Amino acid sequence: MAGTRMRERERHRSVRLPAQVGDRARLAAVEATALLDTGPEQVFEDLAGLAARVTASGRAFVTLVDGRRSFWKACVGVDADTIQDRQNPVEESLCYLLIGLDGAPLIVEDAPNDPRTREHPSVGPMNIGAWAGYPLLGPDGEVLGSFCVIDENPRVWSPADLITLETLARAVSAEIGLRQSLAAAQQALTLSADLAHSLQQGLLPPSPPRVPGMEVAASYVPASRAGRSDIEVGGDFYDLFRTRGTSWGVVLGDVCGKGVQAAQVSSMARYTIRAVANDNRAPADVLDHLNTAMLTQDAPRFLTAVYARFRPTPGGIAGTLALAGHPPALIRRADGTVRPVGTPGQLLGVFDPSQLTDVRFRLAPGDLLLLYTDGATEARARPGAPERNRNVFDDADLARTLATTAGMDASATVEHINDALAARHGGWASDDTALLALRVPFPRQP
């Protein structure tokens, strides 16, 4: 027994850790997460569990690495009842190899024979056949640790496995970053509106990505504040992303209420949808998975959402969408005709199972699909105005306004709707308003 312990100490001393492990800025960033030596939390356990199920790997970890140990904030497939059980010396963790890659992933398909890992002291004792991990990044790009999965047998990690792991690693990083931002905000004596705007923008893509053969435009207008200086982060969010092959996914949602809890639910919803949508699932199935995740995590707020999956065709695009307690999408044809699309479905985070319906749609050249939150259809006048108890811009107003945009591109359409809203409510936005438009342009003339 004493000989075994001596051999273990000698093996640890022989491990040469990358210089990045002991970097002061990195260690400070790890400490600033305030997650070391804390117990398990459902949000991290759920994300790790999703990774283990999707990759069928058996084990998954959310790991933070300081200068002496790897701490498992979440561990799936491992019996670890106490905080002391949820860690191992840094020399025994493959995470130090990932930290030395300065932000790149570490993908190992045959750990016992891979020259990077075959001499590693944990491969045999931890029964590691294959290992795949992506970095958890701090606010300034510091590698805090890893989001990884372990298979006991050597295997080839599929592209879908790696896309899922990368997406979920970003979700964990975003959760950690959001917690730090919110904690700093809560400690401040006076919270500025600029910080509220910054947090809200963190829930939205910086700018919609370019979709081949499509025009894309989006906007977010926060609710007006009546002389208030407190922070109220809204719950509206949207996202547009490639799923698989030539298919794309687009989601727009509205979390009930505002503030820290709404922001957390919005962030969780975006990243959960991205992770599930990588399998190119039908929209109703994607939203049902989000509903299950919200119920499992006991999310403090419910939300409504519309999610669409679409792909280019020779005549435009073909898509399918589902509504979860959300207003129907609107299609504006090239001639200005407007019609709603979508079958009403239950909101998310309340009912199990959810009852959602997929509806197909097509867009030809000149056609436009508009997604929006209820700030665009339930706008009210400024407090104190004579008409304050009724909507000054409703569903019919939005449809009529959209019909007048025939011939406009996606950006001009979104701008025109925002201008019409502002003119009607006099510059007082009673609620956050998110708009997202997708348009098929006419072919260019030779």
Side-chain angles (χ1 to χ4, degrees):
M1 191 71 176
T4 300
R5 286 196 296 267
M6 182 175 297
R7 284 193 297 272
E8 287 292 324
R9 286 195 295 269
E10 289 296 326
R11 186 162 53 179
H12 287 178
R13 279 197 292 267
S14 67
V15 172
R16 297 185 61 182
L17 297 176
Q20 294 93 325
V21 172
D23 180 77
R24 291 185 179 181
R26 193 196 73 81
L27 294 175
V30 173
E31 187 68 27
T33 66
L35 294 176
L36 292 173
D37 298 315
T38 60
E41 295 182 54
Q42 197 66 50
V43 61
F44 297 112
E45 295 290 334
D46 286 344
L47 291 170
L50 180 60
R53 290 193 300 274
V54 170
T55 62
S57 56
R59 285 174 283 176
F61 300 79
V62 174
T63 303
L64 298 164
V65 182
D66 61 15
R68 61 183 181 83
R69 43 70 189 269
S70 291
F71 175 72
W72 309 334
K73 179 60 182 173
C75 56
V76 172
V78 175
D79 292 330
D81 297 327
T82 68
I83 289 178
Q84 188 59 38
D85 293 333
R86 300 169 73 91
Q87 55 187 292
N88 63 349
V90 66
E91 297 88 350
E92 295 181 8
S93 171
L94 266 67
C95 292
Y96 77 74
L97 296 174
L98 183 145
I99 292 173
L101 299 178
D102 291 325
L106 177 64
I107 311 300
V108 179
E109 297 182 338
D110 187 354
N113 295 303
D114 191 304
R116 298 170 296 176
T117 57
R118 63 191 177 197
E119 299 297 328
H120 195 280
S122 67
V123 170
M126 291 188 66
N127 196 23
I128 300 175
W131 194 97
Y134 281 78
L136 302 178
L137 300 178
D140 295 318
E142 309 93 341
V143 180
L144 308 174
S146 75
F147 185 91
C148 68
V149 291
I150 298 175
D151 197 310
E152 65 181 11
N153 299 309
R155 61 177 286 179
V156 175
W157 301 103
S158 71
D161 292 334
L162 300 182
I163 291 173
T164 297
L165 291 175
E166 183 179 17
T167 300
L168 294 177
R170 288 199 302 266
V172 174
S173 298
E175 174 68 18
I176 294 172
L178 182 61
R179 288 178 178 216
Q180 291 179 276
S181 297
L182 295 176
Q186 290 167 343
Q187 293 171 1
L189 295 177
T190 303
L191 300 173
S192 68
D194 287 343
L195 181 55
H197 177 73
S198 175
L199 287 173
Q200 182 68 60
Q201 292 305 308
L203 301 176
L204 304 174
S207 61
R210 297 182 63 181
V211 180
M214 294 286 294
E215 297 171 357
V216 182
S219 72
Y220 169 77
V221 178
S224 302
R225 307 287 180 238
R228 295 171 58 178
S229 61
D230 59 320
I231 192 167
E232 267 201 316
V233 184
D236 289 10
F237 67 95
Y238 60 81
D239 201 3
L240 175 64
F241 51 91
R242 187 187 294 275
T243 56
R244 181 177 295 179
T246 61
S247 293
W248 290 74
V250 59
V251 62
L252 184 142
D254 185 359
V255 179
C256 173
K258 304 184 186 303
V260 173
Q261 291 182 335
Q264 289 177 324
V265 174
S266 295
S267 180
M268 182 270 288
R270 272 190 61 206
Y271 290 108
T272 299
I273 286 174
R274 277 203 173 216
V276 176
N278 280 327
D279 291 336
N280 230 12
R281 298 174 183 268
D285 192 28
V286 171
L287 293 178
D288 183 65
H289 273 72
L290 174 57
N291 183 63
T292 300
M294 294 180 67
L295 293 173
T296 301
Q297 297 181 27
D298 195 21
R301 303 292 179 91
F302 62 82
L303 66 83
T304 71
V306 51
Y307 174 71
R309 181 186 65 184
F310 62 91
R311 59 179 176 81
T313 67
I317 68 167
T320 308
L321 65 76
L323 305 174
H326 203 80
L330 296 177
I331 290 180
R332 184 206 68 197
R333 297 301 181 190
D335 63 2
T337 304
V338 173
R339 70 173 182 88
V341 59
T343 299
Q346 294 175 338
L347 50 79
L348 304 179
V350 178
F351 304 103
D352 185 22
S354 60
Q355 296 181 3
L356 308 173
T357 304
D358 289 317
V359 175
R360 294 181 179 180
F361 65 92
R362 287 185 177 272
L363 299 183
D367 293 346
L368 177 142
L369 177 71
L370 178 69
L371 310 182
Y372 56 93
T373 56
D374 58 11
T377 55
E378 298 179 2
R380 292 182 176 271
R382 183 185 299 271
E387 63 271 29
R388 66 186 180 278
N389 292 323
R390 66 177 179 84
N391 291 347
V392 297
F393 201 89
D394 57 20
D395 300 82
D397 293 315
L398 178 61
R400 283 192 293 267
T401 301
L402 183 59
T404 66
T405 64
M408 293 184 185
D409 64 17
S411 295
T413 298
V414 168
E415 183 178 359
H416 183 78
I417 293 172
N418 281 324
D419 289 345
L421 272 165
R424 189 69 65 86
H425 59 51
W428 170 265
S430 57
D431 196 3
D432 304 319
T433 304
L435 304 173
L436 193 149
L438 301 170
R439 178 178 180 266
V440 180
F442 288 102
R444 292 185 178 181
Q445 298 298 324

